[in-house]
Amino acid sequence: SRVKFLLDEPCATMSVLRRTSSESSEKTGKAGVIADLEASWKQFLRGFSLAFACRSSLSVLLRVLQLARGGKLREIFSIDNLFSEKTLVVRVDAVRLGLFVGQFSGCYELVTRLLARYRGTTDGKNALVGGFLSGFSLLYLKAEDRRTVSLYAMARVAQCLYNLLKNRGYWHFWGSDWNHGDALLFAASSAQVMYAYVMRPTSLPASYYKFIQRTGPIAEEVLEAVRTQNRGIPIAIEPVLNYVKKYSVTGCIPELTSTPTIIGCDILHPMETHCTKNSLRVLIDAFRKILPVYGSLTLISVVIVGFMRFIKDPVKSLIHGAKDTLRSSLFLATFPGVYQAVICAQRNMVCFSEKRY
């Protein structure tokens, strides 16, 4: 009832104001402005509620996964352990995200409506001004989150600009008219990202690098040795050998100098002696890691974002969400698996070492 009051009461107030204004000054256009304010207020409430619910639900689901992975299944059914403020710090982030999404959508709605009323037309110029002004809602987010959102937004802007210019015939890139030409662009961008991951990690956002490092197949000690070796600098032998000793299944410690020609597969993956099996292991491990995360995101999207579709046909919505989860998880798991296979193939072709297939 409290949620209904918060959602309905402001709208009811706006409706009263609109009716009063319409009766007293229909010729002045105030009723239309009140209608625009009401529509933007509803848009703000809708965006805030949706973003707040999504952020809160995601935190709860991740908490459930954390307890399940730790073997604390009984604590999942404990309200104190599941929703305690000591373990579930979400309120501030959820409010920030809600204000950002709510003000962005509400401000955009208001500005475009007022411009359409003032200019007497609805075109791209209204959308341009509305998007610019609503972009200031980004200030609600933390500084590090602003950078992330800005990078994603700039990537989408570049994509839209490219598609616009291509559709109008201003330029044409080789391969852009292929049925799957976007795969070529993704491959080129992935090559740049993975180069930065190996050789220039400071050029990536810290959180993004940690995500790749956790999902990827190569340990940080080995990555640092690869960077150092490629720059012609003597590597630190002790951390690398300690890593090999810890995970080696054969107990054999490879000979390693401070200036190796290349970091071999016996150091890259000491837990598996065969490169093909190791690539398969990497794919399976990545799939197991990312499946619960994608499952949580898809569940929130199906139940909260697509709530009306879920109510009408819950079985169809859940089946569609399960397919999306499996597809996305397999895509992300295949990426490090193929990456590891290519790295091993390169070393087996370049080095005169024992073939490990």
Side-chain angles (χ1 to χ4, degrees), residues 286-324:
F287 185 84
R288 293 175 58 185
K289 290 178 183 177
I290 205 63
L291 180 63
V293 178
Y294 271 129
S296 301
L297 293 174
T298 304
L299 181 62
I300 292 173
S301 176
V302 170
V303 178
I304 297 180
V305 179
F307 181 72
M308 297 306 300
R309 291 192 299 270
F310 177 75
I311 292 298
K312 292 179 180 179
D313 195 344
V315 175
K316 182 178 179 180
S317 298
L318 291 175
I319 292 176
H320 182 73
K323 290 181 179 179
D324 288 344

Side-chain angles (χ1 to χ4, degrees), residues 32-323:
V33 175
I34 294 298
D36 294 339
L37 290 172
E38 180 184 350
S40 63
W41 176 251
K42 288 182 178 179
Q43 196 70 21
F44 170 82
L45 290 177
R46 188 180 297 111
F48 179 89
S49 303
L50 184 62
F52 186 91
C54 289
R55 181 65 180 85
S56 302
S57 301
L58 179 60
S59 297
V60 172
L61 288 175
L62 292 178
R63 176 61 179 164
V64 171
L65 293 176
Q66 182 184 13
L67 294 174
R69 287 177 176 176
K72 303 176 182 179
L73 299 179
R74 292 184 178 181
E75 295 186 7
I76 296 177
F77 302 97
S78 173
I79 295 179
D80 292 335
N81 291 325
L82 189 60
F83 297 100
S84 173
E85 293 186 1
K86 296 181 180 180
T87 57
L88 192 66
V89 183
V90 66
R91 184 168 50 195
V92 175
D93 291 338
V95 171
R96 285 180 179 273
L97 183 62
L99 290 174
F100 164 64
V101 176
Q103 180 168 318
F104 186 93
S105 56
C107 180
Y108 179 82
E109 183 79 12
L110 179 61
V111 172
T112 52
R113 279 174 170 267
L114 292 178
L115 287 175
R117 187 177 301 280
Y118 174 77
R119 299 179 63 235
T121 182
T122 301
D123 55 16
K125 295 180 180 179
N126 296 352
L128 183 65
V129 176
F132 175 78
L133 294 178
S134 59
F136 287 99
S137 59
L138 192 70
L139 296 175
Y140 283 117
L141 301 179
K142 296 178 181 178
E144 56 270 23
D145 294 334
R146 295 175 206 160
R147 183 174 184 269
T148 302
V149 173
S150 299
L151 289 174
Y152 284 130
M154 286 300 299
R156 291 302 181 186
V157 168
Q159 181 183 12
C160 293
L161 182 61
Y162 168 76
N163 291 333
L164 174 65
L165 295 177
K166 176 187 172 183
N167 291 334
R168 295 189 176 183
Y170 286 101
W171 63 24
H172 170 72
F173 286 160
W174 176 78
S176 61
D177 57 341
W178 298 352
N179 291 332
H180 301 286
D182 52 347
L184 180 65
L185 180 61
F186 179 76
S189 60
S190 297
Q192 186 271 333
V193 170
M194 296 310 292
Y195 171 80
Y197 156 69
V198 176
M199 298 302 300
R200 299 285 189 272
T202 55
S203 64
L204 297 174
S207 58
Y208 187 45
Y209 174 76
K210 290 180 181 178
F211 169 75
I212 300 177
Q213 205 276 325
R214 287 195 304 266
T215 310
I218 303 175
E220 179 62 29
E221 300 90 338
V222 179
L223 278 174
E224 184 60 32
V226 171
R227 296 185 195 111
T228 306
Q229 182 266 332
N230 276 277
R231 294 187 176 109
I233 304 173
I235 69 172
I237 300 178
E238 185 176 355
V240 177
L241 292 182
N242 289 338
Y243 168 77
V244 175
K245 291 177 183 178
K246 182 178 180 180
Y247 293 100
S248 177
V249 293
T250 62
C252 299
I253 307 301
E255 296 183 2
L256 183 65
T257 64
S258 59
T259 56
T261 304
I262 196 171
I263 305 296
C265 292
D266 48 359
I267 295 176
L268 289 180
H269 49 86
M271 67 290 295
E272 177 56 65
T273 57
H274 296 83
C275 293
T276 303
K277 292 181 179 180
N278 181 68
S279 299
L280 182 61
R281 177 191 64 83
V282 170
L283 188 150
I284 295 174
D285 287 348
F287 185 84
R288 293 175 58 185
K289 290 178 183 177
I290 205 63
L291 180 63
V293 178
Y294 271 129
S296 301
L297 293 174
T298 304
L299 181 62
I300 292 173
S301 176
V302 170
V303 178
I304 297 180
V305 179
F307 181 72
M308 297 306 300
R309 291 192 299 270
F310 177 75
I311 292 298
K312 292 179 180 179
D313 195 344
V315 175
K316 182 178 179 180
S317 298
L318 291 175
I319 292 176
H320 182 73
K323 290 181 179 179

